[in-house]
Amino acid sequence: MFLLASDTCACPLLLPSHLPSCSFSQFFTAPLFTPEGTDRELRAVDSENSKNLQSDPWRMRQLVKSTSTSTHPYHKYGTGNLDTLLHTPKQKNIDVRKELLAFHKKYYSANLMNLVIVGPQSLDELQKMAEGMFCDIVNSDLEAPTFEGEPVAEADLKQIIRCVPVKESRSIEMTWYLPSSRPHYRTKPQAVASHVLGHEGKNSLLSILKEKGWANGVVAGAGEGGSDFSSFGLGIELTEEGFEHWEEVVEASFQYLALIREGGEEQWKWICDEVKNTWDTSFRFLEKGAPETWAQQLASRMHIYPIEHVISGPYLITDVNMQLVADLFGRLTADRVRMLQVAPELESVCTSTEHWYGTKYHQEQLSAVFLEKLRTARPPETMVLIQPNPFIPSDFELREPDADASKYPVEIVSTDTWRVFHKLDDKFKMPKLNVMLEIQTPVAYESPYAAVYTKLFTQLLKEELNEFAYDAEIAHLNYTIDSTAIGFNLMVAGMHHKLPVLLSEIVRVMFNFEIKSEMYARVHKSVARDYRNFMFEQAYQHAMYKSGVVQQAPRWMYEQYVTIIDDVTMEDVQAFIPRLLSRAYVLGLVHGNATKEEATAIVKGIQDVAKIRPLMDGEHPHRRVAIMPTEKPTLLARTHADPEHCNSASEIVFQIGMEVNMKRRVSLDLLSQIISEPFFNQLRTKEQLGYITHSGKLRDYTGIESYIFLVQSSSHEAKYLTWRMNLFIDNQALNILKELSEEEFNSHRDSLIVKKETKDKSLADETARYWVEVSKHLFRFDIAQQEVELLRKSVTKQDLIDIFCEYVAVGAPKRRKLVVEVEGKIAPGEDG
């Protein structure tokens, strides 16, 4: 169950065979709200809230809400904590359980609720189940709540709120509060505004600001809203220089708005038509998602759209209405704007403290002189609008497989520098194609400096390509480039028609790359900031990261990157690029709407540009893992790098071994399924240790299998979390396995079989599954079938007990145990 701004959505995920006997409906017909359950859940809410106290997105969102109109619901605190849910009600003699029951009675009426059931049964069967399970929900014939007034009063417009972030970031965000956009879902004027203002290609607002060295990114689009209001935002990620010139950045934004408003009908028509085209294509070739996601989306949409448009409403633009677009831009004025400025440099002026998150801020009116500049802003002659998109696809023809086509990827290129597999899509019938490349080179991670050089290279390359590739992204054609411990990955995915054009240009720029000094300055600062900001991540993320540092060899540390990056020059990176690219080994997969001949031609095209020489024997990079000792556990304890971080975390890792043992692999999956729920129930539900509680098998990119237990808490020290997890592992887990009845074991096994037999929901899902096998050099493309066969015929309860006793239990002969503790700031008296 989760909460939205005006909705509550509950969505259990069941095996199809369990649907007829589901007791889910009783929550709505006969809720218990037991005192124990109420206390447990309010503490879970507090734990989730504590997890987000140092999260900038949560802090900024609440700051905007807290400074809005105090009489409007938008102003309210968005989550909850022990003060609001326990201590304050006690002081006021309020019975929280009674309030919950009253709230349930007041709002949980059948006429305000939507029900969506997604299952393999026929529609008639699903309808019969729905009527049988949910017909007892009382219909009190209530009216849906409405909220009078504006979320932001007239007096709070033409304001700027300045605040200090936890992580190092600089931005200026302009927000306009508008009438609800829901009546215009068929024309979507905000989609057109988002397209033009959020564009990143040539002649865009971002392009102008980047040329001046003032911005790294821009985001534009619909913000928070509902049935009574909507909002539109334009957010700009600033460089340090951009922060110094923030008024000029805002002025340039209003000049661009003026340019848009002055555009003639001919200009507007092609922009509106192009937006309609891309949205229509997105809907036409929309792939299936997870059934629980589909159910959640439909249930929420039924409150917004007429039933005949519940599926198409968020996607299709059925009418191009240029007047509505013009009206929207007419509302994006200086007199209706509210700004949020974020930067660490603002600390001296931010003397107020937001109540819920403790964010330091200052609120003031924009000066009359500055407002007049924005009102009268006009575009300079050099400022022109974006151009038509050359990547809009027009070829949607599907390739047909040969009669003898393989069920799995087959090798189409094999040389001393390239090995590429291909699979023509024969399941999803979409004009989409995915190309995955892993460029393996020993110099990419040979030292901390090399790792930083490689990271800077990939980020600089993306920056160089951004204006060209952004049009492709709008046309549903995306790419990613990421550095790794053995080189870097290049992945291109989307509509097949123009994909070879994008891929060829990426490779051409990559192998002929000359760094521009002004670009290097911006990217270098951005990467350095990202390295520093990692220190502010959640405690559990630090625990998992540190466990990787301990186990993987080599594994350089962020602390090293932070120390050296300021010394790295543009000349260093430029000199490193030929070393990085001259000799390598490339693994690849081409999967989707391309024949073998087309896939081979795509590879040949990039081979002609990428003149890669082969690696020598012994030079191929490998991912290695340090084997933990069996004599005693290995402990790594660290204090969180952020002294204000209020969460602690502990991760316990049991190394199992290489994942080549298929029976052990699938047995670990089953063991994980059986143990995870009791672990969660004991440590989170009963002991209330923390919101983040997880256990299960882990298969990382090294090909090593491990079994992990992880807890993050805002109320207990890391060593206490370790102690409680050890009690469960050493005293309960084995008994859970031993006491499992044959019926229970069979039920878990059958459930896992259903999961492994579940068909891929999209081409991307199938590609990801194949790519795991290619990137690990295992090539077990039918692994799911092998696992199901083993589950049905070979895996027994005793196998699970044997694995636990061999690798996990106290005294196990192969117990290789690693404990990583990250200590945060614990409130006085909470633990010890």
Side-chain angles (χ1 to χ4, degrees):
M1 179 178 288
F2 59 91
L3 303 179
L4 301 174
S6 58
D7 301 333
T8 300
C9 186
C11 184
L13 182 61
L14 309 166
L15 290 174
S17 58
H18 292 178
L19 182 58
S21 59
C22 173
S23 60
F24 172 58
S25 61
Q26 293 179 20
F27 175 82
F28 305 100
T29 58
L32 295 177
F33 292 118
T34 64
E36 298 81 7
T38 300
D39 182 74
R40 184 170 61 242
E41 289 309 313
L42 66 86
R43 293 181 187 278
V45 171
D46 179 73
S47 180
E48 181 179 10
N49 177 70
S50 297
K51 173 178 68 72
N52 300 322
L53 288 177
Q54 292 293 98
S55 168
D56 281 324
W58 284 87
R59 293 164 70 91
M60 302 310 159
R61 180 173 181 266
Q62 186 59 53
L63 175 61
V64 171
K65 287 158 62 71
S66 294
T67 54
S68 66
T69 304
S70 60
T71 56
H72 195 279
Y74 180 67
H75 174 83
K76 292 183 177 181
Y77 180 32
T79 52
N81 58 34
L82 284 182
D83 284 335
T84 62
L85 299 173
L86 180 63
H87 302 319
T88 300
K90 277 186 178 180
Q91 293 169 4
K92 296 181 177 181
N93 293 318
I94 296 173
D95 187 322
V96 174
R97 179 174 180 271
K98 285 183 179 179
E99 291 296 317
L100 284 172
L101 288 166
F103 183 90
H104 186 278
K105 184 176 182 180
K106 182 177 180 180
Y107 292 108
Y108 281 66
S109 173
N111 71 300
L112 298 181
M113 301 167 69
N114 297 321
L115 173 66
V116 175
I117 300 178
V118 179
Q121 294 87 348
S122 69
L123 291 178
D124 288 341
E125 289 176 299
L126 292 174
Q127 179 176 342
K128 186 177 179 180
M129 290 180 201
E131 291 170 348
M133 290 187 288
F134 294 92
C135 64
D136 291 334
I137 296 178
V138 175
N139 182 3
S140 302
D141 201 25
L142 301 176
E143 290 189 14
T146 56
F147 310 107
E148 301 293 333
E150 299 288 334
V152 177
E154 194 75 26
D156 294 323
L157 299 175
K158 295 177 282 189
Q159 276 191 350
I160 184 167
I161 304 167
R162 309 180 196 275
C163 68
V164 181
V166 173
K167 293 184 176 182
E168 183 185 346
S169 65
R170 296 165 186 86
S171 64
I172 185 77
E173 183 175 329
M174 293 153 267
T175 302
W176 294 266
Y177 292 89
L178 310 165
S180 176
S181 61
R182 287 184 179 180
H184 306 307
Y185 72 91
R186 302 189 76 179
T187 54
K188 296 181 176 57
Q190 291 202 16
V192 179
S194 173
H195 175 76
V196 181
L197 286 172
H199 208 279
E200 298 181 19
K202 186 179 179 181
N203 299 335
S204 66
L205 172 61
L206 178 62
S207 179
I208 294 167
L209 295 175
K210 279 186 173 181
E211 190 175 347
K212 295 177 181 291
W214 291 348
N216 289 320
V218 63
V219 177
E224 293 196 86
S227 60
D228 302 277
F229 78 96
S230 66
S231 62
F232 186 88
L234 171 60
I236 300 168
E237 180 190 343
L238 301 174
T239 62
E240 292 178 37
E241 293 78 13
F243 168 74
E244 297 295 332
H245 294 270
W246 74 269
E247 288 187 329
E248 293 160 88
V249 170
V250 173
E251 188 176 356
S253 303
F254 275 82
Q255 290 172 346
Y256 206 82
L257 279 167
L259 175 70
I260 294 168
R261 283 192 284 266
E262 293 170 6
E265 184 173 329
E266 183 178 343
Q267 174 78 52
W268 275 110
K269 183 158 190 335
W270 78 256
I271 291 177
C272 291
D273 287 343
E274 187 170 284
V275 173
K276 181 181 186 305
N277 186 325
T278 56
W279 282 65
D280 289 354
T281 300
S282 174
F283 180 70
R284 178 182 175 186
F285 300 109
L286 188 66
E287 294 186 88
K288 289 183 179 179
E292 64 272 25
T293 303
W294 186 230
Q296 292 165 8
Q297 290 174 342
L298 290 179
S300 295
R301 291 178 195 170
M302 289 166 68
H303 285 299
I304 301 172
Y305 306 104
I307 194 66
E308 64 270 22
H309 297 149
V310 163
I311 294 177
S312 64
Y315 300 99
L316 287 182
I317 297 177
T318 54
D319 302 303
V320 173
N321 190 323
M322 290 182 285
Q323 185 57 52
L324 282 176
V325 176
D327 290 346
L328 171 59
F329 279 111
R331 294 176 182 271
L332 306 185
T333 66
D335 291 306
R336 299 291 303 171
V337 74
R338 199 169 192 244
M339 299 185 191
L340 177 68
Q341 185 184 31
V342 180
E345 292 89 345
L346 296 169
E347 188 165 6
S348 61
V349 301
C350 293
T351 55
S352 299
T353 303
E354 194 277 323
H355 177 72
W356 301 110
Y357 287 83
T359 305
K360 295 294 183 182
Y361 76 99
H362 176 70
Q363 189 173 2
E364 63 182 83
Q365 295 296 132
L366 293 166
S367 72
V369 174
F370 184 51
L371 279 170
E372 188 58 27
K373 271 189 176 182
L374 302 185
R375 292 188 189 107
T376 59
R378 290 293 178 269
E381 291 185 3
T382 55
M383 185 179 282
V384 295
L385 278 176
I386 56 176
Q387 299 300 304
N389 190 339
F391 279 95
I392 299 295
S394 57
D395 176 10
F396 304 113
E397 182 182 351
L398 297 178
R399 280 41 172 173
E400 294 296 331
D402 297 331
D404 59 347
S406 171
K407 290 174 59 180
Y408 303 110
V410 296
E411 191 174 76
I412 58 169
V413 177
S414 181
T415 70
D416 54 1
T417 52
W418 293 76
R419 188 179 188 187
V420 182
F421 291 79
H422 164 258
K423 171 74 170 64
L424 173 63
D425 170 41
D426 57 359
K427 294 180 183 178
F428 301 101
K429 304 296 183 181
M430 294 280 186
K432 298 181 179 182
L433 185 63
N434 299 327
V435 177
M436 320 288 279
L437 298 173
E438 181 178 72
I439 296 88
Q440 300 177 2
T441 166
V443 302
Y445 205 71
E446 65 184 5
S447 69
Y449 276 96
V452 171
Y453 295 157
T454 305
K455 176 71 172 181
L456 283 166
F457 165 67
T458 58
Q459 296 304 111
L460 286 161
L461 182 59
K462 284 190 278 191
E463 184 64 22
E464 176 70 20
L465 290 163
N466 189 64
E467 287 194 5
F468 174 82
Y470 184 76
D471 278 329
E473 180 182 337
I474 293 297
H476 314 294
L477 189 55
N478 302 288
Y479 83 98
T480 61
I481 302 175
D482 296 301
S483 57
T484 71
I486 61 171
F488 59 95
N489 292 328
L490 168 60
M491 304 177 187
V492 185
M495 306 303 292
H496 78 101
H497 182 197
K498 305 291 180 71
L499 185 145
V501 177
L502 176 61
L503 179 59
S504 295
E505 180 64 8
I506 292 170
V507 175
R508 185 193 69 78
V509 172
M510 180 188 299
F511 281 84
N512 298 275
F513 193 35
E514 293 291 331
I515 305 173
K516 301 180 180 70
S517 59
E518 67 278 6
M519 180 192 296
Y520 181 82
R522 280 191 295 105
V523 172
H524 178 273
K525 288 180 180 179
S526 177
V527 172
R529 186 179 65 246
D530 289 344
Y531 284 150
R532 292 192 295 268
N533 281 340
F534 179 78
M535 305 307 170
F536 298 96
E537 295 294 348
Q538 293 279 342
Y540 81 92
Q541 292 172 293
H542 278 275
M544 296 177 72
Y545 169 72
K546 292 295 184 184
S547 91
V549 170
V550 171
Q551 295 181 80
Q552 295 160 20
R555 179 70 180 265
W556 314 123
M557 296 183 288
Y558 273 85
E559 293 89 342
Q560 294 171 303
Y561 301 156
V562 170
T563 300
I564 67 178
I565 190 166
D566 288 341
D567 297 328
V568 175
T569 67
M570 183 180 80
E571 290 75 18
D572 293 332
V573 180
Q574 188 70 69
F576 178 75
I577 294 173
R579 288 191 61 221
L580 181 72
L581 299 178
S582 61
R583 297 189 304 113
Y585 182 76
V586 183
L587 268 178
L589 171 66
V590 182
H591 178 221
N593 194 45
T595 63
K596 176 182 177 182
E597 291 73 24
E598 289 171 325
T600 304
I602 289 172
V603 177
K604 177 67 165 56
I606 57 179
Q607 282 179 316
D608 290 343
V609 177
K611 303 296 185 180
I612 299 173
R613 291 181 288 122
L615 298 175
M616 304 292 286
D617 289 344
E619 281 193 310
H620 288 262
H622 296 286
R623 299 176 171 110
R624 294 181 172 87
V625 174
I627 300 175
M628 295 295 103
T630 56
E631 293 78 19
K632 62 179 182 179
T634 302
L635 171 65
L636 176 67
R638 291 289 185 270
T639 301
H640 198 287
D642 176 12
E644 297 302 313
H645 194 84
C646 61
N647 293 290
S648 296
S650 176
E651 182 186 39
I652 299 176
V653 181
F654 293 94
Q655 290 184 332
I656 306 300
M658 294 294 293
E659 61 170 292
V660 293
N661 185 320
M662 189 70 70
K663 184 175 179 179
R664 186 179 66 193
R665 171 191 166 95
V666 75
S667 297
L668 273 175
D669 288 339
L670 187 52
L671 178 66
S672 174
Q673 177 169 297
I674 293 169
I675 293 296
S676 60
E677 192 281 328
F679 177 77
F680 183 92
N681 184 55
Q682 178 64 37
L683 278 78
R684 178 178 166 179
T685 306
K686 292 181 179 178
E687 299 186 29
Q688 289 289 304
L689 293 187
Y691 182 75
I692 294 176
T693 305
H694 171 74
S695 70
K697 54 88 177 67
L698 174 68
R699 297 187 182 104
D700 63 18
Y701 59 83
T702 64
I704 296 294
E705 291 184 311
S706 301
Y707 201 94
I708 68 169
F709 298 85
L710 174 70
V711 176
Q712 175 172 291
S713 175
S714 61
S715 56
H716 296 285
E717 294 178 339
K719 62 184 179 183
Y720 180 86
L721 304 179
T722 303
W723 174 51
R724 300 309 302 174
M725 286 193 288
N726 279 332
L727 283 179
F728 176 86
I729 296 165
D730 298 343
N731 298 338
Q732 295 185 47
L734 184 56
N735 288 335
I736 290 169
L737 294 174
K738 289 180 176 179
E739 294 170 5
L740 203 67
S741 69
E742 183 178 356
E743 182 181 356
E744 290 170 328
F745 174 81
N746 290 339
S747 176
H748 279 291
R749 183 195 60 196
D750 293 345
S751 173
L752 183 58
I753 288 173
V754 169
K755 289 179 185 178
K756 290 187 176 295
E757 288 186 326
T758 299
K759 296 179 180 178
D760 297 308
K761 298 295 189 299
S762 65
L763 181 71
D765 288 347
E766 188 176 42
T767 300
R769 185 164 53 82
Y770 290 149
W771 182 240
V772 167
E773 296 302 312
V774 172
S775 62
K776 290 184 178 181
H777 296 261
L778 295 173
F779 312 112
R780 304 163 304 185
F781 300 123
D782 64 341
I783 188 170
Q785 291 88 327
Q786 294 182 47
E787 291 178 329
V788 167
E789 189 73 12
L790 283 168
L791 281 168
R792 285 201 170 109
K793 295 183 178 180
S794 300
V795 177
T796 66
K797 186 177 86 168
Q798 189 58 48
D799 291 326
L800 309 190
I801 294 172
D802 290 346
I803 287 176
F804 193 90
C805 291
E806 186 174 5
Y807 296 101
V808 181
V810 175
K814 297 180 182 179
R815 193 188 211 212
R816 303 183 186 277
K817 181 180 179 182
L818 169 65
V819 180
V820 180
E821 298 175 347
V822 176
E823 206 68 76
K825 183 180 73 172
I826 302 294
E830 287 190 356
D831 207 12

